Amino acid sequence: AQKVTQAQTEISVVEKEDVTLDCVYETRDTTYYLFWYKQPPSGELVFLIRRNSFDEQNEISGRYSWNFQKSTSSFNFTITASQVVDSAVYFCALSGPISSNTGKLIFGQGTTLQVKP
Amino acid sequence: DAEITQSPRHKITETGRQVTLACHQTWNHNNMFWYRQDLGHGLRLIHYSYGVHDTNKGEVSDGYSVSRSNTEDLPLTLESAASSQTSVYFCATQNSLRTDTQYFGPGTRLTVL
């Protein structure tokens, strides 16, 4: 069965600290996609990144970086020099089984990040 | 700019009433999805569609229905609203490939009293 686990329910940091959000996934597929979404207090879901299982290169986008390690089934997200505007709930998601090809996303429970000034 | 809109943004209804939540997209995406978000459950898939006249059940489809008469719209209907359907509902769209990124609408907060 496919599953995404975000073990950190809530994280609180002080502005300018670095913070890493963990994501561990389970899948039997050899080809799959991983995603991160941000849900700010306003409630919308904002797409951050999509990675496929064949691309294990780390990705950096400004203060955001992602570390994909297939060997440990993890896709962790790091925010460098956090800012108050980073306060949000962050969701990790896994594409549904390629065999069933539904296009559905399997979401983790989310990690609430609070960045204090 | 292309966008996804949901209406209403907030709705309060009574148990037993029929409720329809609208989702409209101008991305011209083939695939559309409805999810519900509840504390402790994350987001769960209700229904989805790969194109006009195509609809499929997700993992929590009981008590919900959808219809797809055009590319732009996928309305979600609660046939007889129940308190257990109090939730935040998100519509998402996706281009043709089923591993493409899904983009989400702003959500509808539904309260069933």
Side-chain angles (χ1 to χ4, degrees):
Chain A
Q2 295 189 300
K3 187 177 178 182
V4 175
T5 301
Q6 295 179 255
Q8 304 151 309
T9 306
E10 292 184 18
I11 301 175
S12 182
V13 300
V14 176
E15 208 169 20
K16 296 185 183 176
E17 283 185 22
D18 298 347
V19 57
T20 296
L21 309 182
D22 297 332
C23 173
V24 174
Y25 61 92
E26 296 174 28
T27 181
R28 292 180 180 177
D29 286 337
T30 53
T31 302
Y32 51 89
Y33 290 78
L34 293 159
F35 303 80
W36 277 94
Y37 287 86
K38 174 182 179 180
Q39 187 174 40
S42 51
E44 71 272 25
L45 280 159
V46 179
F47 164 72
L48 295 178
I49 190 171
R50 168 180 179 265
R51 296 304 298 275
N52 77 53
S53 54
F54 293 109
D55 183 1
E56 291 195 65
Q57 275 194 327
N58 290 338
E59 175 118 2
I60 299 174
S61 176
R63 296 183 298 106
Y64 294 172
S65 62
W66 290 268
N67 183 296
F68 176 34
Q69 293 201 336
K70 212 167 179 178
S71 59
T72 56
S73 297
S74 65
F75 187 43
N76 297 336
F77 173 32
T78 297
I79 302 174
T80 303
S82 60
Q83 299 177 2
V84 172
V85 294
D86 296 326
S87 297
V89 181
Y90 290 87
F91 290 96
C92 181
L94 170 68
S95 58
I98 299 297
S99 56
S100 66
N101 205 20
T102 63
K104 67 178 284 186
L105 288 175
I106 294 129
F107 284 87
Q109 298 297 307
T111 297
T112 300
L113 173 65
Q114 184 182 33
V115 181
K116 298 179 181 177
Chain B
D1 285 348
E3 61 176 356
I4 305 167
T5 55
Q6 291 185 235
S7 61
R9 296 294 311 279
H10 301 271
K11 174 81 177 176
I12 300 175
T13 191
E14 295 177 345
T15 302
R17 291 191 180 265
Q18 184 181 77
V19 176
T20 296
L21 309 182
C23 174
H24 178 81
Q25 55 113 349
T26 57
W27 285 96
N28 200 32
H29 283 170
N30 285 333
N31 304 343
M32 296 183 72
F33 304 80
W34 274 105
Y35 293 86
R36 59 178 288 176
Q37 182 179 22
D38 305 287
L39 280 175
H41 291 280
L43 284 93
R44 294 179 291 174
L45 182 64
I46 306 171
H47 281 287
Y48 56 101
S49 167
Y50 294 139
V52 177
H53 302 310
D54 176 76
T55 60
N56 305 278
K57 293 181 179 180
E59 58 182 309
V60 290
S61 60
D62 286 349
Y64 302 94
S65 64
V66 292
S67 61
R68 186 96 179 264
S69 58
N70 58 51
T71 301
E72 294 80 19
D73 299 287
L74 186 69
L76 177 71
T77 297
L78 287 68
E79 305 293 346
S80 177
S83 57
S84 60
Q85 293 176 309
T86 293
S87 187
V88 180
Y89 291 86
F90 286 97
C91 175
T93 73
Q94 180 188 56
N95 211 341
S96 302
L97 288 179
R98 295 173 191 180
T99 51
D100 280 341
T101 299
Q102 291 185 23
Y103 296 96
F104 287 79
T108 293
R109 183 174 296 276
L110 176 68
T111 302
V112 182
L113 301 175

